[in-house]
Amino acid sequence: MLFPDYRARRLRQNAAFRRMVRETTLSTDDLMLPLFAINGKNVKNPIASMPGHFQLSVDNLVKTVEEAFELGIPAIMLFGLPSKKDPLGTRAYAKDGIVQRAVSAIKNKVPDMAVVTDVCLCQYTDHGHCGIVEKGVIENDATLDLLARTAVSHAKAGADMVAPSDMMDGRIAALREALDDSQFDLTPIMSYAAKYCSAFYGPFRDAAHSAPQFGDRRTYQMDPANSLEAIREVTMDVEEGADIIMIKPALPYLDIISRVRDEIDLPVAAYNVSGEYAMIKAAEKMGWIDGPKVMMETLTSIKRAGADIIMTYFAMDAARMLRG
Ligand code: PBG
């Protein structure tokens, strides 16, 4: 159909028509809020590069989760800052670790909030890598057992879902087997399946004190230039038993989200990461953009690309806007 028989503007001329033909609607149900747990009491350390976000001690964390629950946010994603780091990241799988204690406190107070835990070692190792290091090399297979122990310890503490972000090969199968062996066969795994080696994680590494102390993560996280490789990574995780597939970051990788959505029939999640959040907050502070509008446009675009679930530091702000 060509102009003048077809006029694209006919269905844009008023708000009612626009609502009727809108293809994508962002909902609070789509959102997952990442939070940072730290030891201590009544701690609320602002994260400079992530305005509105804090390292929270368990007491304050529970309050924030209550607020998120009131706003209708269905799930939170939990990261921990341990009391001490060591070469094997032992505080990641300690029974009284920070995440383990935070999970049980949250489930106690807000039982219907879904608590998803990040499973990784980088916050817990003194070298800051996501796996065990031997002679300067990140050892894949030896790391799997520690990741599996971490996931099981989270499930024992009450986690509703585990989300491995380490990018070791074979971790989904290792986690699935360990969870099943401990009677957690109903605990889903959300896999950070296509996780890129991205400069957009900068503010997170300040927040979680997880920057690598030597080298970088290029031997385990993906090259930003690759797309076919994302399909291989995702396929591998599906075959190993992942329940939800995550793409990370979101905005610079909308093509990957869209492609995975087309090729895979599992729910797809996207992580709108710390750097994506920080850029919008910074430009808003400078008065260069309309922050709330850019936020909603960003989240809508991630959903339009194919994400069913969006992990975002904007979750509270967006939920408030959606409530109107
Ligand atoms: C740790 C992890 C990172 C993020 C989530 N889990 C950082 C990294 O891989 O260095 C980044 C999240 C964000 O930037 O918001 N494996």
Side-chain angles (χ1 to χ4, degrees):
M1 245 195 322
L2 288 176
F3 174 83
D5 298 323
Y6 177 70
R7 287 181 183 270
R9 294 182 57 199
R10 276 187 203 124
L11 292 177
R12 288 182 208 144
Q13 63 184 301
N14 61 49
F17 287 180
R18 289 193 295 271
R19 275 171 58 203
M20 286 162 65
V21 301
R22 187 161 295 143
E23 298 174 38
T24 307
T25 306
L26 186 71
S27 154
T28 303
D29 295 342
D30 307 328
L31 307 174
M32 190 185 291
L33 171 69
L35 292 170
F36 301 97
I38 194 165
N39 288 285
K41 269 213 170 78
N42 201 20
V43 181
K44 191 175 179 182
N45 299 330
I47 301 162
S49 50
M50 299 171 69
H53 281 269
F54 305 85
Q55 298 167 338
L56 297 167
S57 52
V58 173
D59 48 347
N60 283 332
L61 186 75
V62 169
K63 285 182 204 155
T64 303
V65 174
E66 283 176 315
E67 228 178 291
F69 188 75
E70 292 288 302
L71 281 168
I73 294 169
I76 61 144
M77 167 80 118
L78 203 51
F79 295 94
L81 286 97
S83 48
K84 65 175 179 55
K85 300 172 188 264
D86 59 39
L88 297 179
T90 52
R91 297 305 296 168
Y93 35 91
K95 201 176 167 197
D96 61 347
I98 180 67
V99 166
Q100 290 79 356
R101 281 186 288 117
V103 171
S104 64
I106 294 167
K107 291 308 291 185
N108 234 334
K109 204 72 196 279
V110 201
D112 293 331
M113 175 63 92
V115 178
V116 184
T117 55
D118 181 83
V119 174
C120 196
L121 300 181
C122 60
Q123 286 113 271
Y124 304 89
T125 51
D126 50 10
H127 45 70
H129 278 288
C130 305
I132 300 176
V133 176
E134 267 161 53
K135 299 195 182 84
V137 174
I138 291 86
E139 286 290 338
N140 193 91
D141 299 14
T143 300
L144 298 180
D145 175 50
L146 301 186
L147 294 168
R149 281 165 66 177
T150 304
V152 170
S153 77
H154 290 177
K156 280 186 179 155
D160 296 291
M161 191 185 299
V162 292
S165 68
D166 53 283
M167 287 297 277
M168 296 299 120
D169 291 327
R171 75 257 164 81
I172 303 302
L175 261 61
R176 187 69 275 156
E177 194 187 330
L179 288 166
D180 290 357
D181 284 350
S182 300
Q183 273 81 52
F184 292 112
D185 47 306
L186 277 178
T187 303
I189 301 175
M190 174 163 71
S191 169
Y192 287 69
K195 177 174 176 180
Y196 286 88
C197 191
S198 170
F200 284 89
Y201 306 150
F204 173 94
R205 291 180 191 172
D206 295 339
H209 300 160
S210 66
Q213 298 304 301
F214 69 89
D216 54 44
R217 305 209 200 285
R218 277 184 287 188
T219 69
Y220 44 107
Q221 299 183 347
M222 282 181 53
D223 184 337
N226 295 353
S227 150
L228 283 172
E229 190 189 4
I231 301 301
R232 284 202 299 279
E233 278 282 3
V234 167
T235 307
M236 188 156 73
D237 288 1
V238 171
E239 283 172 12
E240 288 179 29
D243 299 279
I244 299 176
I245 291 299
M246 194 208 297
I247 314 299
K248 175 184 175 190
L251 215 34
Y253 299 90
L254 292 180
D255 58 324
I256 309 298
I257 297 172
S258 166
R259 194 166 174 178
V260 169
R261 172 67 296 156
D262 285 347
E263 297 197 19
I264 303 291
D265 63 3
L266 289 178
V268 173
Y271 200 144
N272 177 222
V273 301
S274 57
E276 300 175 57
Y277 175 81
M279 286 194 304
I280 294 174
K281 285 290 182 188
E284 178 185 17
K285 197 169 166 199
M286 293 298 285
W288 291 344
I289 59 168
D290 179 329
K293 281 197 176 139
V294 171
M295 165 183 80
M296 293 311 266
E297 184 176 335
T298 298
L299 298 175
T300 302
S301 74
I302 295 168
K303 182 158 186 194
R304 190 196 63 233
D308 304 295
I309 300 165
I310 307 173
M311 264 82 81
T312 178
Y313 302 97
F314 286 118
M316 298 272 238
D317 293 347
R320 279 192 200 99
M321 273 196 78
L322 287 166
R323 189 188 256 186

